[in-house]
Amino acid sequence: MTSGHIRRPPDTEIDWAFFLDVDGTLLEIADQPSFVHVDTELLELVAQLHQLTGGAVALISGRSISNLEELLGALRLPLAGQHGLERRDAAGRLWIHAAPPEAKCAIREALLPVLARHSGLLLEDKGLTLALHYRRAPHLAAYAHRLMAQLMKEAGGGLELQKGKCVIELKPAGIDKGTAVAEYLTESPFRGRLPVFIGDDLNDEHGFAEVNRMGGISIKVGSGRSGAAYRLSGVAAVRRWLGGALKGRQ
Ligand SMILES: O=P(O)(O)OC[C@H]1O[C@H](O[C@H]2O[C@H](CO)[C@@H](O)[C@H](O)[C@H]2O)[C@H](O)[C@@H](O)[C@@H]1O
């Protein structure tokens, strides 16, 4: 575990496999999930990297695939959504690893009065997972964590909590971003390439662990304790680093 020291990753190579987190890595964090700004420069950068690497670029996100598609518009990429619970491979096949939790309706019902009382809380229903956001009410962080832990207990098994930036999420247990990376690495065009995982948040630690295990390059964005071997300071630094792969090739 390192805690914030900037150790710059080696220069990018186009024969690597790139696994990229979205919020806080490719996109600046916004006040609410729907407020993120996806700029043309980013879409062009990712599209070019995808093309130059022969398709070995996947987004590995906590967001749902349908939400990622809305953000990406016409750009079609391999996508792992909801922390790897759903995954679209390079051939366009969709893999779904869990059903929506049986207790989802009951959990939503239990949260409704809480949301009505606290306008700073936001519930994001992603289909397989439920995320309770408290970015606009940081004083409610401990309460939100306690509440979701209690609801998980009442659900009686099969679920786990995923902490993130100003969010606490309930999801089916046992699948994470590391699972998604491992699956991609068994498939063309990722198979046999050196894996790179870049992410900024706690859910990305699973991705770092998997690429570390595979002898790849793990890159934490920003500060905070992490199992990643390298650091980049923020979204702009990530884009510059990825852009290095394109230099002289455009
Ligand atoms: O794995 P990621 O692609 O980084 O997704 C993680 C979560 O991202 C979103 O929430 C985060 O970003 C929001 C917009 O910047 C921000 O308002 C929120 O506080 C962050 O937690 C997304 O809404 C979640 O579903 C993802 O799990």
Side-chain angles (χ1 to χ4, degrees), residues 108-244:
R108 281 188 65 111
E109 291 270 300
L111 287 171
L112 286 181
V114 175
L115 296 166
R117 260 198 323 276
H118 302 288
S119 60
L121 293 178
L122 173 77
L123 181 65
E124 188 187 14
D125 183 345
K126 298 188 268 188
L128 304 175
T129 69
L130 286 171
L132 185 60
H133 291 267
Y134 51 85
R135 182 166 294 279
R136 290 181 303 146
H139 60 287
L140 296 176
Y143 169 64
H145 283 247
R146 269 200 316 274
L147 179 62
M148 292 295 260
Q150 180 62 32
L151 292 171
M152 179 178 74
K153 209 165 137 198
E154 286 166 14
L159 297 180
E160 65 187 7
L161 290 169
Q162 176 62 60
K163 293 179 188 170
K165 288 185 168 168
C166 295
V167 67
I168 179 77
E169 197 163 334
L170 264 175
K171 61 184 275 293
I175 301 281
D176 55 42
K177 289 190 173 191
T179 320
V181 169
E183 289 171 353
Y184 278 122
L185 288 173
T186 66
E187 300 164 353
S188 177
F190 299 94
R191 191 174 39 230
R193 289 171 173 254
L194 185 80
V196 179
F197 192 100
I198 318 180
D200 70 309
D201 208 348
L202 291 171
N203 61 6
D204 299 311
E205 294 299 322
H206 302 290
F208 299 147
E210 183 59 25
V211 304
N212 289 346
R213 205 177 64 76
M214 301 293 290
I217 295 176
S218 52
I219 308 173
K220 164 85 173 172
V221 182
S223 58
R225 281 173 69 75
S226 175
Y230 299 97
R231 297 257 173 184
L232 287 168
S233 57
V235 170
V238 171
R239 292 181 182 203
R240 275 195 301 277
W241 186 76
L242 290 173

Side-chain angles (χ1 to χ4, degrees), residues 60-73:
I60 315 283
S61 179
R63 288 181 183 263
S64 66
I65 288 184
S66 63
N67 187 198
L68 292 171
E69 284 175 332
E70 281 167 27
L71 296 179
L72 294 173

